[in-house]
Amino acid sequence: RVVKKITSEFRAKIAEHSAELESYEKIYAGKRDFTKFIKKHAVLKYEIRKFQNKISHFYEALAICQNERPELKKQLKNYVYEAGVLKNAACENAARIDDIYAHIQSLKNDKINRNIYILTLLSALFLPLNLITGFFGMNTNGMFLNGFQNGTAIVAGSMLALFATLAGLFYFLGKRRE
């Protein structure tokens, strides 16, 4: 009766962990808010690992008891098998929680990489423009195009052409990468 009670408690706890993990696995299906999982991840992982240890010890104790007590071998056979199944289920739950966490981390890393890529493109587009405006913003005599009446328009046109060329280059390189 004691072994039966312990296995039923373990079965209930595994069902509870599995149900909770199934609710978190909905993250795979779409853009679900995963802040609740992140907050509970460490505690849940600790609980599952601790529970996994208990089941492992229980399984080993039943196996030892079955091997050392031949009169109980037949009675314990089903319980040893069930404990082994529960041990495997606990291991599966531990792997599932690690998979969910890894998926969330990959989503976060993808978002960070996209943001860094956009920031890099913007800085690459504005760096030449910043260089040109810095160069022509100096107050010195004898500057390039100083004697031309339309010198500012020429510089503005060349800056606009350079900006359009770089933007087109990044656009086509992005299309080729896809």
Side-chain angles (χ1 to χ4, degrees):
R1 278 187 272 166
V2 172
V3 173
K4 190 174 188 176
K5 181 183 174 193
I6 291 172
T7 55
S8 68
E9 287 174 3
F10 283 168
R11 200 177 315 111
K13 191 68 172 174
I14 284 178
E16 179 186 322
H17 283 155
S18 292
E20 187 172 6
L21 288 174
E22 279 181 28
S23 73
Y24 290 132
E25 284 175 335
K26 291 179 183 173
I27 292 169
Y28 294 136
K31 304 246 183 205
R32 186 164 180 244
D33 185 29
F34 45 78
T35 55
K36 184 179 176 185
F37 175 80
I38 293 296
K39 288 178 184 176
K40 195 165 180 183
H41 170 257
V43 173
L44 188 61
K45 186 171 182 172
Y46 172 75
E47 285 177 7
I48 288 176
R49 295 288 184 193
K50 189 175 176 182
F51 183 68
Q52 190 179 9
N53 247 356
K54 281 182 185 179
I55 288 179
S56 231
H57 293 312
F58 178 68
Y59 173 75
E60 289 170 12
L62 282 178
I64 290 170
C65 193
Q66 183 186 24
N67 290 335
E68 291 183 1
R69 307 277 275 187
E71 67 273 7
L72 296 175
K73 190 171 189 166
K74 190 174 183 181
Q75 292 173 331
L76 291 178
K77 183 179 179 182
N78 289 337
Y79 292 115
V80 170
Y81 175 76
E82 188 174 356
V85 169
L86 294 175
K87 180 181 169 188
N88 289 340
C91 289
E92 182 183 321
N93 284 345
R96 285 169 65 191
I97 195 167
D98 289 337
D99 289 344
I100 294 169
Y101 186 75
H103 178 72
I104 290 170
Q105 287 303 106
S106 71
L107 289 176
K108 285 183 172 183
N109 288 340
D110 288 346
K111 186 175 181 180
I112 289 170
N113 286 339
R114 274 194 310 270
N115 290 341
I116 290 174
Y117 179 72
I118 290 169
L119 184 62
T120 303
L121 286 178
L122 286 175
S123 61
L125 287 174
F126 286 109
L127 183 65
L129 299 175
N130 193 13
L131 179 68
I132 292 171
T133 56
F135 179 74
F136 285 107
M138 294 186 292
N139 292 324
T140 59
N141 289 329
M143 288 294 291
F144 175 68
L145 300 175
N146 190 22
F148 290 99
Q149 182 178 1
N150 297 329
T152 305
I154 293 171
V155 170
S158 63
M159 285 178 19
L160 187 61
L162 180 62
F163 179 76
T165 304
L166 287 175
L169 179 68
F170 283 124
Y171 176 76
F172 288 118
L173 286 176
K175 284 286 190 183
R176 181 186 288 173
R177 190 179 282 180
E178 292 174 5

